[in-house]
Amino acid sequence: MKTMSKIPHRLYLTEEQMPKQWYNLRADMKEQPDPMINPGTMQPVQAEDLYPVFCEKLVQQEMDAVTRYIDIPEEVLEMYKIYRPSPLVRAYNLEKALNTPARIYYKFEGNNTSGSHKLNSAIAQAYYAKEQGLDGLTTETGAGQWGTALSEACAYFGIPLTVYMVKVSVEQKPYRKAIMETFGSSVIASPSDTTNVGRAMLNDDPSTGGSLGCAISEAVEKATTTPNHRYVLGSVLNQVVLHQSIIGLETKIAMDLLGEYPDIVIGCAGGGSNLAGLIAPYMRDKLTGKFETRIVAVEPASCPSFTRGKYAYDFCDVGRSTPMAKMYTLGSDFKPSANHAGGLRYHGMSPILSKLYHDGFMEAVSVEQTKVFEAATLFAKVETILPAPESAHAIRVAVDEALKCKETGKAKTIIFGLTGTGYFDMSAYTSYINGAMTDYIPTDEDLQRSFSTLPKVPEIM
Amino acid sequence: MKTMSKIPHRLYLTEEQMPKQWYNLRADMKEQPDPMINPGTMQPVQAEDLYPVFCEKLVQQEMDAVTRYIDIPEEVLEMYKIYRPSPLVRAYNLEKALNTPARIYYKFEGNNTSGSHKLNSAIAQAYYAKEQGLDGLTTETGAGQWGTALSEACAYFGIPLTVYMVKVSVEQKPYRKAIMETFGSSVIASPSDTTNVGRAMLNDDPSTGGSLGCAISEAVEKATTTPNHRYVLGSVLNQVVLHQSIIGLETKIAMDLLGEYPDIVIGCAGGGSNLAGLIAPYMRDKLTGKFETRIVAVEPASCPSFTRGKYAYDFCDVGRSTPMAKMYTLGSDFKPSANHAGGLRYHGMSPILSKLYHDGFMEAVSVEQTKVFEAATLFAKVETILPAPESAHAIRVAVDEALKCKETGKAKTIIFGLTGTGYFDMSAYTSYINGAMTDYIPTDEDLQRSFSTLPKVPEIM
């Protein structure tokens, strides 16, 4: 392999070097994740069950555990080229600040208006919606990253989009709403009077601030009751994991050019889509016995699905309107404390990642948020990127691993995913700087309470 | 010249291709800008007059009209490499949306945490301060772009920084303050009780929201009354124009690689530093008779210093504490209407650009803000970058020129500067989307009133 003589700060692949296919991790998994279950029939979900909700092509991708590489449509590649290939950055300044022999790299996915990796899947989903001739899409958004990304993608492909945004988020983050509207989306504070579930919620409690669960339910209801509309989701699903493989594939090509193979790959994990995307080609090497590398998922101590959750069937939403998935979960009723600043608040985890974790192919650690913001602030100062709090979970563990290298004197190669920027998270930074940020770890009793809501699913396989 | 076969969406130079020197436009100007004048002596400013206020190296750069190329210090290059070379983007999607035969390019300077080109000069100024062994710097910031950039640079070089931020901006943009504090800066709402001028201001009117003029005066007073401190400024000055030449030099190298020479170069103009930087190598070609190209400055109709200002000596600040510069000015008392959303609010213009404009080397147009936001919104949708309102002035005119090409059928090559991102300007976008944004053009009487404050300066040259 021809390698570069000097490693630049930022390596951008050329358009020609960009991957033309997504990689489907399931094709190399000897043991497959358990299938989703239709809660009505308690039988494995069939494609036909999903067609009323999702685009056909996306349903096919969701169910496809066989095709190893799937062509990225030309139109999707064209839009990717506006912000991709994303840079692989050698964190020279962070290394210097830590005085570590480790070589630290990060793949930066925040160089687009939506500010995060979510755009990678949003583009694919909007494209397939257009290809199918749909008249519109619906989705929900909490903090707003996914809604922003999908708004961008829908503006590009000319698909009308309705975003149900949790009411309390609309009030706390009016600028997130403004960006989505700039892209032409219709943003509705949830609960709203536009759906049965929303009206019922408002009837119960007119002053409610809403919840992600309710917003999902409204978006699904709206999609399935409006002619020629479908619903889209930004994480957890197999299709999203597939689209996000672009992150890892680019990373691997760039690292190969540098003659580097990571000893440790680190990513933050909420629903798991960014982590699954980043690690995809390295997990492939592990699954196929080609190379061994440590793969580490980082989650908040306040929402520890991998490290303290159960591997069990659960609903994907709080409203229990979705199929059930076998995954690491805290129970769909689990809500992290309000003092938890960042994202990564989801109660469950991608079924693909859950299976890989369960089978010992990866590790997981949980970190407390003040430690996360400490790392984020250091990183911002030396690398001049203000990280999203979510991304900063990965920074925290990368820093910890680099500091271990300092102790041991071993020059390990560490790579982590920097999923996005923190421009809309300044209130959390302010709270950290002012010393007002505290940590929160759920008690065992908290978890027992939410575990008790797990659905009973008969052994079906 | 070897050119690339297919033009990519984004062209990133390699680190090796990056310019290692700044270009000093004055070295190729046959007629020099008139010198700054010391208002005390009414004589041309000498380096000695400036040493108490600015770093020595920066004063030398300020006065140097002779040295054509100035080495960028190794340490500055190292920090540049964290976010540079910045991409030259072919706006394929904008071209398609406009259905124009024009080839549109933009140089994007927003890929860093500060979100704008201001960082290019901030790094240089912080570096020279460190080299001189200073104990700290002071500056002022209005909207916060400059303060953020300088905070980043000072964090990197370990220089304590005090930022006087206009009090009303602190209140309107708390997150800007938070970013600066994340980088470790001390942010003081101006007027403050930390300076004589601030205390006097508060004494007069305890409820004042402050002004940029007062913030400048406080920052200068603080720097000159604190041992081993200096003051730094982010635009207008010759030294800043010099540092920003990196934008144009990179652009020219990239355009040469593509085999392209622009027919039109467009930049927004507030104090002029971004525009001067972008056009530098193309203006060099004009000044040396090598190539002809149209160079267009774009300013807001609400603050039209080029198009309706006077070419005269004026103070650089509202507080009249600085030397006087010969420039296009609206009078230092001029303030654009409060309904003016974007930046570009400065009453004057870089003396270098003023001279070049006066001598016919460039054009200027003014545009109204609703038209600017119309272009910004279109651009955000198709190019997936949310532009700063300042940058969007250049987009507006690039779009207008591309539409002219559509009429004439001529495939002109247009390049414009995209100076930054609009993440902190969402309230302006909201106002535009809600139809609440209006235009404002000062009347001739408004301008006569502010012209009447111009200082009387004897003919000295």
Side-chain angles (χ1 to χ4, degrees), chain A residues 9-10 12 15 81-82 93 111-113 152 175 178-179 182-183 380 383-386 423 426 430 433, chain B residues 9-10 12 15 81-82 93 111-113 152 175 178-179 182-183 380 383-386 423 426 430 433:
Chain A
H9 287 68
R10 292 195 161 204
Y12 291 94
E15 288 185 2
K81 285 177 190 166
I82 303 176
N93 294 319
N111 268 353
N112 64 72
T113 297
E152 267 195 77
Y175 293 167
I179 283 206
T182 300
F183 284 119
E383 293 288 325
T384 90
I385 294 170
L386 186 84
Y423 288 101
M426 291 317 298
T430 304
I433 293 161
Chain B
H9 287 69
R10 292 196 161 202
Y12 291 94
E15 288 184 2
K81 285 176 190 166
I82 303 178
N93 294 319
N111 268 352
N112 65 72
T113 297
E152 267 196 77
Y175 293 168
I179 283 206
T182 300
F183 284 118
E383 294 288 326
T384 90
I385 295 170
L386 187 84
Y423 288 101
M426 289 318 299
T430 304
I433 292 162

Side-chain angles (χ1 to χ4, degrees), chain B residues 351-364:
Chain B
I352 293 177
L353 288 186
S354 292
K355 177 67 178 165
L356 290 167
Y357 178 66
H358 189 67
D359 291 350
F361 287 101
M362 50 187 282
E363 310 163 32

